[in-house]
Amino acid sequence: MAKIKAIRGMNDILPSQTPVWQYLEDIVRETLDAYGYQQIRLPVVEQTDLFKRSIGEVTDIVEKEMYTFNDRNDESLTLRPEGTAGCVRACEEHGLLFNQVQRLWYSGPMFRYERPQKGRYRQFHQVGVEAFGMRGPDIDAELILLTARLWKKLGLSSSVRLEINSLGTAQDRASYREDLVAYLSGHINKLDPDSRRRLDTNPFRILDSKNPDTQAILDGAPGFADYLDSESEQHFNQLCAILDASGIEYRVNPRLVRGLDYYGKTVFEWITSELGAQGTVCAGGRYDGLVEQLGGRVTPAVGFAIGVERLVLMLETLAGPRLKEKPVADIYLVASGTGSAQAAMILAEQIRDGMPGIKLQVNCGDGSFKSQFKRADKCGARYALVLGEDEMDKAVVTVKPLRDTTEQKRIERAELLNYLLSKFD
Ligand code: ATP
Ligand code: MG
């Protein structure tokens, strides 16, 4: 019978890969803690309308990337393609936005029906951060400083660069849109087919077209900076001032837009040149209109999402080898002879009680001494503890160093813990 395989674009993350993921997750959590962000955990399935109403009907995500299905009750549900909509929904539902500020984060799988390639998958993971109730550029800056600190801790600072832009208010965007469409319509024959299609539906997406001919036409297009109202302009200038004072390098990219409808004012992306076309590792911005759009009170909000797989790809080359050298266990307990399996289990529990943090693997399923030592070696342990018949009779344990040439030693059971503690201090 043919074996069942995983779904295209949905990856298994194997034991050899998880050390890098865990390393990243630990540092992400530590960094978010350092800024006082609280974790929120959200369902992976929501009502389809939530995404249609928030992300926008004419975006790539809603038009062609969502996993949407009817459940047994004929309700239209969707696997979340991103986390912001669900986060806003949850905050509204539980009254977390009324008269208060929130600094929140979440992480987990997202689903988009895209063409799988390096750095682009159908199930992928994001770490998302959302800050609610703060109107000024200080919180925008805080999010950027937080991400900069994260890259620093991960050793990635020199591999990423920051681009920022302002998308102004809805009104600014409307007048800009009109002029941009008028300009581009005059050059419609030279636009790539995708851009031509977007001219009516989502002309801002044309701005980040990768097509060189389209890029050349865009060089002559009106720039958004001329359409910013004074409040948006001031907001943006203040953000730049904080970044300057904090020593954060950035480039203002007037063509930086986001693929989702709900952004306004500040938008930013952290980009790497090391992953080819899939170079954006973190993207975010301000979305002051979304909460209201989903039926809540007007609430300023700003957030970002990190593409975890893309960071993992970068880390695998940098930190991967170091992390993979980490042993699965520090100590391996070899047991052979009548009653030794039970005695080994009990001894192992005593050692774990006495040595918190130690990684101890007990041999299970018998095996010759030779095969047990092979397993001990494979798991990377520094010491094998041997509990054979002779050791059982004499109430001792043989401690055999596996990573150096020092002699093995027989230690009284009562002395064992102290002996091991002296080896692992
Ligand atoms: P792109 O232009 O690469 O499609 P996007 O604008 O659709 O990105 P966002 O919705 O802003 O991406 O998601 C934030 C981040 O999540 C991206 O910058 C990227 O790092 C990651 N990401 C998005 N889609 C995928 C995917 N299909 N596979 C892996 N990572 C992804
Ligand atoms: Mg996309």
Side-chain angles (χ1 to χ4, degrees), residues 112 114 119-121 124 126 258 260 280-283 305 307 310:
R112 296 185 194 177
E114 301 200 66
R120 190 177 294 287
Y121 312 100
F124 62 101
Q126 288 185 336
R258 308 278 321 116
L260 289 63
T280 304
V281 293
C282 170
R310 295 185 189 178

Side-chain angles (χ1 to χ4, degrees), residues 60-61 65 112 114 120 205:
D60 283 352
I61 293 182
E65 294 175 358
R112 296 185 194 177
E114 301 200 66
R120 190 177 294 287
R205 277 322 288 264

